Amino acid sequence: MATFISHLTIDCSDAYSLSEWWKPVLGYEDVPDDPNLPGHDECMLVDPAGKGMTVLFIEVPEGKSVKNRLHLDLRPREDPQDTEIERLIAHGATVVADRRGQYGPGTGWVTLADPEGNEFCVLRSPAQLAEQSAPTEAADA
């Protein structure tokens, strides 16, 4: 019999602060009736719509020292990729690598890092993907 992923755990030095940083990034909230508070060494966030994966932040003694072996790929729900990247940088993310256009116009991603250095990628929005796959007027002629 198969298993399923219960939640994604992110090791960190300050579970509360990092969960608070990620909350507006994902549009997530604390577990109802179990709020995250300063000093908690484990803080969980859930998708209020109940559709996304639960994320758990756990304090560990060691700091991040190498590239993540696993990372999140984020897709903006509505805004274009560039707008979402600007929002996240204004929120405190840092750019690790810009791979936009790597596979041709309108392709690619940008790798960012949260305040503790955990990398994540920002992909193009569903609207941008649909726009790219839509036939152009020249192709219809």
Side-chain angles (χ1 to χ4, degrees), residues 74-91 95 97-101 105-112 121-126 128 131:
L74 305 180
R75 191 173 303 282
R77 293 180 192 272
E78 297 173 7
D79 288 333
Q81 180 186 45
D82 291 347
T83 302
E84 184 65 7
I85 291 165
E86 289 171 14
R87 179 181 82 89
L88 296 172
I89 291 170
H91 184 55
V95 176
D98 189 335
R99 305 276 189 236
R100 287 177 283 193
T107 67
W109 63 91
V110 173
T111 303
L112 301 175
C121 295
V122 180
L123 310 174
R124 292 177 299 130
S125 70
Q128 289 176 295
E131 184 179 289

Side-chain angles (χ1 to χ4, degrees), residues 21 26 30-31 42 48 53 71 73-74 77-78 81 91 97 99 101 112 117 120 126:
W21 189 87
L26 300 173
D30 294 349
V31 174
E42 293 186 8
M53 180 178 288
H71 66 268
D73 283 342
L74 305 180
R77 293 180 192 272
E78 297 173 7
Q81 180 186 45
H91 184 55
R99 305 276 189 236
L112 301 175
F120 59 97

Side-chain angles (χ1 to χ4, degrees), residues 10 12 15 18-19 22 41-43 45 55-59:
I10 298 176
C12 57
L18 200 57
S19 71
W22 276 97
D41 57 5
E42 293 186 8
C43 294
L45 297 179
V55 182
L56 176 65
F57 299 87
I58 295 181
E59 291 183 8

Side-chain angles (χ1 to χ4, degrees), residues 10 64 66-72 112 117-120:
I10 298 176
K64 182 181 177 297
V66 297
K67 181 183 181 300
N68 296 12
R69 294 293 303 260
L70 296 173
H71 66 268
L72 299 172
L112 301 175
N118 299 300
E119 294 115 1
F120 59 97

Side-chain angles (χ1 to χ4, degrees), residues 33-60:
D33 303 321
D34 187 14
N36 298 323
L37 298 171
H40 282 180
D41 57 5
E42 293 186 8
C43 294
M44 186 170 276
L45 297 179
V46 297
D47 179 358
K51 296 179 181 180
M53 180 178 288
T54 301
V55 182
L56 176 65
F57 299 87
I58 295 181
E59 291 183 8
V60 297

